[in-house]
Amino acid sequence: MKNILVTGGAGFIGSAFLRHMVAAYPEYNIICYDKLTYAGNVDNLLPVSDEENYRFERGDIADRRAVQRALEHYAIDTIVNFAAESHVDRSIIEPDAFIHTDVVGAYILLDEGRKHGIERFCQVSTDEVYGDIEVGFSVEDDRFLPNSPYAASKAGGELMARAYHVTYGMDIVITRGSNTYGPYQYPEKLVPLFTTEAMDDRPLPLYGDGKQIRDWLYVDDHARGVDCILHFGKTGEAYNLAGENQRHNIDVTRRILELLGKPASLIRHVPDREGHDRRYAMTAEKARALGWQRQYDFEDGLAATVGWYQENEWWWRKIKTGEYLEYYKRQYTERLASIR
Ligand code: NAD
Ligand code: DAU
């Protein structure tokens, strides 16, 4: 492993992975390959932008020629695929981009990776492929029952990765992370949306009864988990990267408000997300056996995260303009109006 292409590296988790890898492995050349969609942000990479072992290349993973050029130009031997459309609510409004990137893009990366003799391909996937887990905990061999267009597209991408391993003998590993939170997360997801909205004393649109359960994982723990699986994962295998830290959405929301010193009256129970999964829960035993262990507990991780958004308004205020406001209006205006 020497020349690593990190796709989607300008996003939330991909940039945490890049910041970690660039510092931890000066002997690797690490190339970020990112289309810079609305969710991609070069500000996330400022901490590494001057490092010797880091390069940035703008490109779409579904653009075969651009992928070929990047693989050849940088003599890539390893690919870590974070690139995705990642927001469930957007996938409900308009699934097209999810099929383009999460399915077709993953396929093109795999196909070109195989043709260029890539030594290892790590596909970053999600606990959402297991679907709604009423009781118990998902383990890696459980069946897939994805419920949103996002979850189905991620399942498609990772099944293609599996097929490339079985059919062509490609060296593949897969990670399935749980709900990730931390600095540099685009403020459309629960934690950064509610933190930044509450800072401005705006209403927090909590879907349905707020009793849905998510398993929360701090972003640096997720990044180190992908590093661990990339280096030590057994070929052809998938690994859950679980926070093992399940919380009701309403409790996460209340805690954010407490940390900010804001009143619970900002919470609005708005009409639910369509097809909303009630609960995700996985065990991380298989990844633990390879030496991965999350380091942050939720209380510390959430306090650090909320503190980061308080200290870094320069980062998120400029995002909350233009396209973001269009999306916000489409997603929330009617929902919020319906409960007044
Ligand atoms: P994100 O939306 O913050 O970032 C996605 C990145 O991919 C952006 O930089 C974007 O510009 C880039 N991108 C999108 N389409 C592209 C394309 N066609 N070609 C090249 N680049 C493209 O996402 P995230 O939250 O950082 O998630 C990263 C990965 O981790 C995704 O694969 C996601 O499915 C997975 N995941 C996320 C979570 C979570 O809680 N956020 C949990 C488990 C797994
Ligand atoms: O579980 C892993 C997944 O976690 C990742 O694969 C996805 O990329 C990531 O976006 C995340 O998906 P969720 O749908 O769980 O995350 P989100 O932050 O959108 O929502 C978390 C919970 O909060 C979910 O139950 C929906 C609820 N929610 C979310 C938003 C944005 C609200 O109640 N109101 C909101 O406005």
Side-chain angles (χ1 to χ4, degrees):
M1 198 179 304
K2 188 167 184 334
N3 300 324
I4 307 179
L5 193 75
V6 179
T7 65
F12 166 51
I13 309 170
S15 68
F17 178 76
L18 263 159
R19 294 189 301 271
H20 160 73
M21 293 291 285
V22 166
Y25 301 99
E27 68 276 26
Y28 295 165
N29 298 311
I30 303 173
I31 296 93
C32 176
Y33 180 90
D34 198 297
K35 186 179 178 182
L36 295 182
T37 65
Y38 78 93
N41 187 344
V42 288
D43 285 349
N44 301 0
L45 295 164
L46 285 175
V48 292
S49 58
D50 291 333
E51 298 298 329
E52 276 286 308
N53 60 337
Y54 163 76
R55 292 284 178 279
F56 180 83
E57 186 78 29
R58 187 169 189 177
D60 185 337
I61 60 165
D63 179 343
R64 192 180 280 277
R65 296 293 298 279
V67 169
Q68 284 167 355
R69 275 197 301 273
L71 295 181
E72 280 157 25
H73 182 74
Y74 295 103
I76 296 297
D77 51 47
T78 304
I79 298 176
V80 184
N81 182 27
F82 286 92
E85 289 294 333
S86 69
H87 192 38
V88 172
D89 289 326
R90 289 187 191 250
S91 84
I92 294 167
I93 299 174
E94 221 167 292
D96 294 40
F98 290 75
I99 309 304
H100 172 85
T101 295
D102 304 8
V103 183
V104 178
Y107 151 68
I108 285 176
L109 263 189
L110 285 159
D111 200 49
E112 286 306 318
R114 180 174 80 91
K115 288 174 182 156
H116 285 81
I118 290 300
E119 289 164 19
R120 175 151 272 208
F121 188 109
C122 177
Q123 172 69 7
V124 176
S125 191
T126 169
D127 61 1
E128 301 213 8
V129 296
Y130 297 118
D132 203 353
I133 307 303
E134 216 177 297
V135 288
F137 299 89
S138 304
V139 293
E140 287 79 355
D141 288 338
D142 284 355
R143 65 182 178 165
F144 281 13
L145 279 176
N147 289 318
S148 69
Y150 162 71
S153 72
K154 289 298 291 181
E158 81 154 274
L159 287 173
M160 192 58 81
R162 177 188 147 81
Y164 266 64
H165 171 71
V166 174
T167 306
Y168 304 113
M170 207 169 156
D171 185 342
I172 305 275
V173 284
I174 294 166
T175 63
R176 295 189 191 128
S178 62
N179 266 73
T180 305
Y181 68 100
Y184 300 103
Q185 186 170 29
Y186 193 85
E188 64 188 351
K189 309 278 167 65
L190 180 90
V191 170
L193 174 70
F194 284 11
T195 302
T196 56
E197 292 291 274
M199 281 171 67
D200 285 344
D201 300 303
R202 286 167 51 82
L204 308 187
L206 189 65
Y207 296 150
D209 61 6
K211 293 281 178 62
Q212 304 84 2
I213 293 174
R214 294 292 181 269
D215 175 13
W216 295 96
L217 176 66
Y218 191 69
V219 66
D220 292 349
D221 283 333
H222 193 152
R224 285 186 310 94
V226 175
D227 173 3
C228 172
I229 304 309
L230 176 67
H231 284 95
F232 305 116
K234 193 167 158 237
T235 186
E237 297 280 315
Y239 294 85
N240 291 345
L241 297 176
E244 296 185 313
N245 193 357
Q246 289 100 37
R247 310 269 160 155
H248 290 110
N249 291 342
I250 179 80
D251 296 331
V252 174
T253 306
R254 287 199 184 112
R255 189 70 194 120
I256 290 171
L257 289 169
E258 276 168 21
L259 285 163
L260 290 169
K262 298 287 182 180
S265 57
L266 288 177
I267 298 172
R268 302 282 191 287
H269 287 273
V270 298
D272 210 347
R273 173 185 277 176
E274 298 84 347
H276 198 172
D277 286 334
R278 204 71 190 155
R279 176 174 178 266
Y280 299 139
M282 304 189 287
T283 62
E285 258 167 54
K286 193 172 167 186
R288 247 197 312 277
L290 292 186
W292 177 71
Q293 179 78 49
R294 75 166 162 82
Q295 287 177 357
Y296 284 81
D297 81 12
F298 185 67
E299 280 300 319
D300 295 342
L302 192 65
T305 302
V306 169
W308 187 88
Y309 286 94
Q310 286 179 298
E311 283 158 24
N312 290 280
E313 293 190 32
W314 71 272
W315 183 86
W316 59 265
R317 286 224 182 262
K318 62 183 174 193
I319 294 175
K320 286 192 160 191
T321 54
E323 192 276 343
Y324 176 90
L325 293 180
E326 285 302 307
Y327 165 73
Y328 182 92
K329 226 161 82 187
R330 215 165 153 188
Q331 183 64 21
Y332 296 111
T333 304
E334 217 175 280
R335 275 192 158 89
L336 284 164
S338 72
I339 55 155
R340 276 195 196 119

